[in-house]
Amino acid sequence: MTYHPKSEFVSVMIERGFLADCTDYQGLDDALMAGVVPGYIGFDATAKSLHVGSLIQIMMLRWLQKTGHKPIVLMGGGTTKVGDPSFRADERPLLTPDQIDDNIAGIKAVFSNYVTFGDAPSDALMLNNAEWLDGLNYLDFLRDIGRHFSVNRMLAFESVKSRLDREQSLSFLEFNYMILQAYDFLELNRRYGCLLQMGGSDQWGNIVNGIDLTRRVLDHEIYGLTSPLLTTSDGKKMGKSQDGAVWLNPDMRSPYEFWQFWRNTTDADVGRFLKLYTELPVDECDRLGALEGSEINEAKIRLANEVTTLAHGSEAAAAAEATAREVFEKGGVGDDLPTLALTAEDVADGISIVQLIVRSGLAKSGKDAKRLIAENGAKLDDAPLTDAGLMIDAATLATPIKLSAGKKRHALVTLS
């Protein structure tokens, strides 16, 4: 990166590793220096929560506000009805309007931990693109907006090209998605003076389309900025763990499990993740990331505490750390572990240990649980578990039992 920005926001994006590309560094920098810049990121409402894979975008909105500008969280109430085909091998399942509304309500709860909403110039806005997409007249839209799009150019975008090159079907419904997203940028500029769209680098084509459309229709200059698509140092997609997506809502992933995900970061990723997901000074992130041996574990605990504090509050982070220290350092049970509460009816005839491992979330299937036991990866109350046929009865559950999968994943089983 040879560009030397004047604005604090672009400086932060470059220094902390958020920036993959920008449509016009100088133009964006000048706009940021001239006054409050409204900038948006779109989030489709495909689930009741966002997961860690979206956290880089959420942090970009947070930094935009911290540097004096206005974040706009755009919920895709309209576009979720279509589904973003970018770099997907298949079509997304379509959701009903009620499912989409439920998902938006769940996602809203996440953002209040990261940005401040309100009416001040740099206070965040949460909008829903159904506001302008639901009422579109198809023929007017084709005439006024569709005429600005070249199919030849749309086919050349990597997100579409990669799908067609693999000879995988791309429906006309999905093909329309990039036009709708471009139209979002136009409407946000027209209604709210929005000057900036941000997103992952897979959104580059969609962002460029929106800038081009707004220039053609309104003759306004607007800007786009993308972040790198993040993978862990071992090549895994960010946001997934052994047992599924790492959700940001506490009712879908407990604060303890969330904390544990960050505590388990690979050594090589610690410095980079501290810069992206915390607000610690860059020098401190570099210092912590350079630690080696057992010292890097304290850096991982710092990372887990900082990220969990932002997502769930300082009390949740402190409780998660206390539980982790008790479980891992003292071999104790810990109050904050994920808990499976069984009823007397559940164990009337006994319940197999394999079923308990699956129901407590430590394995995805009975087959996985049996493999875990066979490979000596399962423990019952910190003792190796070797018998996959073991049955647990009510008497055994008179006191809670602790199940473990490997060294880092644990759950309690109680009788309620």
Side-chain angles (χ1 to χ4, degrees), residues 8 77 86 112 122 150 190 238 303 319 324 378 404 413:
E8 188 185 358
S86 296
S112 57
S122 62
S150 155
R190 181 163 29 209
M238 191 63 190
L303 170 67
S404 305
V413 183

Side-chain angles (χ1 to χ4, degrees), residues 155-168:
L155 288 170
F157 280 117
E158 193 55 42
S159 57
V160 174
K161 199 163 163 285
S162 63
R163 184 95 159 252
L164 297 178
D165 285 349
R166 294 193 301 268
E167 297 184 359
Q168 287 162 329

Side-chain angles (χ1 to χ4, degrees), residues 3-307:
Y3 182 74
H4 299 291
K6 300 185 292 292
S7 67
E8 188 185 358
F9 177 68
V10 177
S11 299
V12 167
M13 291 295 99
I14 294 171
E15 276 176 18
R16 301 189 79 96
F18 284 99
L19 192 52
D21 215 339
C22 180
T23 56
D24 178 358
Y25 286 103
Q26 188 67 57
L28 175 59
D29 217 16
D30 290 345
L32 289 160
M33 292 300 289
V36 175
V37 168
Y40 92 98
I41 299 179
F43 298 88
D44 274 348
T46 49
K48 284 183 191 283
S49 171
L50 298 175
H51 61 62
V52 162
S54 298
L55 198 49
I56 190 167
Q57 268 75 52
I58 296 171
M59 291 300 290
M60 288 166 85
L61 288 172
R62 182 175 171 86
W63 279 112
L64 186 71
Q65 187 168 54
K66 280 176 73 75
T67 55
H69 302 283
K70 188 178 189 72
I72 296 175
V73 181
L74 182 66
M75 298 309 307
T79 36
T80 302
K81 293 169 186 168
V82 177
D84 182 1
S86 296
F87 296 95
R88 283 182 65 88
D90 53 4
E91 190 169 345
R92 287 186 186 276
L94 297 180
L95 302 177
T96 66
D98 284 348
Q99 286 173 314
I100 290 170
D101 287 344
D102 283 351
N103 289 347
I104 288 174
I107 291 168
K108 271 186 180 178
V110 170
F111 276 95
S112 57
N113 296 324
Y114 291 93
V115 294
T116 302
F117 292 95
D119 301 321
S122 62
D123 280 351
L125 281 178
M126 180 170 273
L127 304 172
N128 185 339
N129 65 10
E131 187 184 320
W132 49 83
L133 294 181
D134 279 5
L136 282 179
N137 178 296
Y138 187 59
L139 292 177
D140 288 346
F141 185 71
L142 286 179
R143 183 195 64 208
D144 298 338
I145 302 301
R147 66 191 178 90
H148 295 294
F149 287 84
S150 155
V151 170
N152 309 49
R153 187 158 174 252
M154 290 163 77
L155 288 170
F157 280 117
E158 193 55 42
S159 57
V160 174
K161 199 163 163 285
S162 63
R163 184 95 159 252
L164 297 178
D165 285 349
R166 294 193 301 268
E167 297 184 359
Q168 287 162 329
S169 172
L170 180 74
S171 73
F172 180 68
L173 178 72
E174 294 175 286
F175 196 55
N176 270 268
Y177 185 91
M178 63 178 77
I179 300 180
L180 295 177
Q181 188 171 326
Y183 185 65
D184 280 347
F185 204 174
L186 168 70
E187 281 297 322
L188 285 168
N189 179 258
R190 181 163 29 209
R191 294 170 183 231
Y192 300 96
C194 184
L195 296 180
L196 172 65
Q197 183 184 356
M198 300 182 287
S201 55
D202 60 338
Q203 297 299 314
W204 180 257
N206 291 333
I207 292 172
V208 169
N209 271 333
I211 291 170
D212 190 46
L213 178 65
T214 305
R215 192 180 288 135
R216 286 166 183 263
V217 175
L218 299 178
D219 196 26
H220 289 176
E221 282 299 320
I222 55 178
Y223 310 99
L225 183 153
T226 59
S227 61
L229 286 183
L230 207 62
T231 55
T232 56
S233 59
D234 52 3
K236 289 180 185 156
K237 194 173 178 183
M238 191 63 190
K240 303 282 183 179
S241 73
Q242 239 176 333
D243 53 343
V246 182
W247 301 106
L248 299 177
N249 285 29
D251 57 337
M252 291 177 69
R253 171 73 66 155
S254 76
Y256 171 78
E257 292 172 298
F258 182 82
W259 187 94
Q260 198 60 52
F261 170 80
W262 295 99
R263 167 63 183 81
N264 292 342
T265 296
T266 307
D267 292 6
D269 291 325
V270 173
R272 184 170 56 132
F273 286 3
L274 282 163
K275 286 180 194 168
L276 291 171
Y277 299 116
T278 81
E279 293 170 347
L280 293 177
V282 170
D283 290 351
E284 178 69 355
C285 297
D286 287 336
R287 184 190 73 77
L288 289 166
L291 296 174
E292 293 179 353
S294 61
E295 286 187 324
I296 193 74
N297 290 329
E298 288 306 311
K300 292 178 185 181
I301 288 170
R302 186 79 185 276
L303 170 67
N305 283 340
E306 295 284 337
V307 182

